[in-house]
Amino acid sequence: MSDYKPVASSQVTLTELMIPSYSNFGGKIHGGIILGLMDKVAYVCAAKHADGYCITASIDVVDFLAPVEVGEIVSLMASVNYVGNSSMIIGIRVISENLKTHVIKHTNTSYFTMVAIGEDNKPKQVPALLLKNREDIRRFFQAKNRKELKNTYKKDEAMLKQTAYEHHSFMDALSRERCKVELD
Ligand SMILES: CC(C)(COP(=O)(O)OP(=O)(O)OC[C@H]1O[C@@H](n2cnc3c(N)ncnc32)[C@H](O)[C@@H]1OP(=O)(O)O)[C@@H](O)C(=O)NCCC(=O)NCCS
């Protein structure tokens, strides 16, 4: 295994036609279909960088920016943005193209953390990343900063869980929300 691998060596694009069976009751493409394709492209990209089996550890923010219609062509572009020891942050940009009008929509951007798994079923080290242009460097630092922000958020979340939600200290705040308290 080489020590460094360039971002380009594992970059991948997955393109798929949106068929009627992918649609929801509203006639638009089901969000779960897009999520499944994102997981697939993240896997391929990570497995190419790691040269082996990987697992999805987390997904950071999936905002659906625009609906996808039946008949459109969806392309998912994935690249390794950042590597830790065994983990890789894969940035995915999703676009959808109407083949008649050639209008292209940006529908999602998301970041999947994938972890390489060795023969012993434990996380294994992946090659370091060879950054070859300013875009590679920008993505690397943005991903690193995002990861640090997430760690801060995790600490806040742990604090939230420790908060004792005694109803009498929250009555004032609850009175300004769209809810009603009816204790049994
Ligand atoms: C992901 C998993 C392999 C990590 O195992 P672990 O015993 O916690 O291993 P470690 O603590 O050594 O962490 C390994 C790496 O994963 C990263 N990691 C673990 N959980 C993470 C999370 N929730 N988000 C982001 N990164 C995470 C760690 O930061 C570490 O990164 P590094 O090696 O680059 O420093 C384990 O939690 C797992 O198997 N989860 C279930 C995954 C799964 O089933 N995915 C399919 C979902 S449908």
Side-chain angles (χ1 to χ4, degrees), residues 7 9-10 23 27 34 42 56-57 68 78 86 98 120 135 161 173 180:
V7 174
S9 70
S10 55
S23 65
I34 305 292
T56 309
V68 179
S86 64
N98 180 313
D120 56 359
E135 191 69 349
K161 285 187 181 145
K180 187 160 84 167

Side-chain angles (χ1 to χ4, degrees), residues 55-58 84-87 113 115 117 123 147 150 154:
I55 206 161
T56 309
S58 79
N85 187 38
S86 64
S87 68
T113 301
V115 177
I117 303 292
K147 185 180 156 105
K150 188 176 166 182
K154 274 187 184 165

